[in-house]
Amino acid sequence: MTHYDNLLILFPLPQISGYWYEVARIPNVEVLECLNVSVPAAIENNTLSLGLNYISTVNGGWQATRQTVDFPWDNSTQHGIFSLDYDRVTVTYKLVYTNNFTLAFVCGYSNFSPIPLFKLFTRQRQINEEMINFIKLLADKYGIAEQIAWEEQSPDKCNGSRGQDPLTILIGCIVLVWGLSVRKSVCI
């Protein structure tokens, strides 16, 4: 039993259903970007199925990834406690706060690291400066404001592609076509 388990918050379905975007985390782990979680409005077959969409950056890659993670609808899950097992590593997350409309704060721990985990989700892809300052103020009370890694969720960054933006590609194509037409007129 950990101190997270003593915070008994019922996981509020269907109020919390919908899309949630990760906007901040501790620690700054560079294995995924653009995480969003889809929470269903109802339980099916006594299972809570969360849809995860993210960009995997493992080994320097940039791969759009969709994954479903299933949790039994038991006492732990009903109280917002989610355990994920990866071979010899177990990561446990606990929903410690949500207002159901804009914010969800998740803390966690693992059996391989003494560093606590923190994730902040919002309903918006990008949060405004007022919200960032509010979050920093709360984090400052707990001495963690300096450790927060802010996550960008813009569609340009999180659409699964990476590299040249569309305007740069368009301009490059125009220059190429213009260059070929000039060359053709010079050679004729």
Side-chain angles (χ1 to χ4, degrees):
M1 181 87 130
T2 69
H3 62 281
Y4 293 122
D5 299 332
N6 294 324
L7 301 170
L8 294 179
I9 295 177
L10 286 175
F11 194 72
L13 283 178
Q15 297 92 335
I16 200 168
S17 67
Y19 286 98
W20 291 87
Y21 301 92
E22 180 189 38
V23 295
R25 76 169 78 126
I26 295 175
N28 187 13
V29 184
E30 296 186 19
V31 294
L32 65 90
E33 297 284 336
C34 305
L35 173 64
N36 70 70
V37 179
S38 174
V39 179
I43 301 302
E44 291 187 19
N45 300 322
N46 213 29
T47 300
L48 174 66
S49 296
L50 300 179
L52 307 179
N53 292 306
Y54 57 93
I55 304 293
S56 172
T57 58
V58 174
N59 297 323
W62 190 263
Q63 179 67 42
T65 306
R66 292 179 191 259
Q67 180 181 7
T68 299
V69 181
D70 293 329
F71 298 95
W73 191 242
D74 58 14
N75 189 51
S76 289
T77 306
Q78 291 173 25
H79 286 93
I81 300 169
F82 307 93
S83 291
L84 300 166
D85 293 313
Y86 303 100
D87 296 327
R88 295 177 287 175
V89 176
T90 299
V91 180
T92 302
Y93 288 103
K94 169 74 175 123
L95 177 66
V96 294
Y97 172 81
T98 184
N99 63 5
N100 301 336
F101 305 107
T102 55
L103 285 175
F105 177 61
V106 178
C107 287
Y109 54 92
S110 69
N111 63 345
F112 72 94
S113 173
I115 300 171
L117 307 170
F118 153 94
K119 288 186 179 286
L120 181 66
F121 292 92
T122 68
R123 297 280 192 170
Q124 302 168 314
R125 279 187 172 273
Q126 296 172 299
I127 57 175
N128 61 33
E129 199 64 35
E130 182 180 329
M131 179 74 83
I132 290 173
N133 289 335
F134 173 73
I135 294 164
K136 285 181 179 178
L137 182 67
L138 287 175
D140 223 14
K141 287 183 180 180
Y142 297 100
I144 60 172
E146 297 300 317
Q147 300 172 42
I148 294 176
W150 296 96
E151 298 300 310
E152 182 184 341
Q153 286 281 353
S154 70
D156 289 343
K157 179 181 178 191
C158 297
N159 69 1
S161 63
R162 186 170 150 182
Q164 300 290 332
D165 64 28
L167 182 60
T168 304
I169 293 170
L170 177 62
I171 291 171
C173 289
I174 291 171
V175 169
L176 177 64
V177 169
W178 176 78
L180 291 173
S181 68
V182 169
R183 180 174 171 233
K184 184 177 179 183
S185 65
V186 171
C187 294
I188 295 181

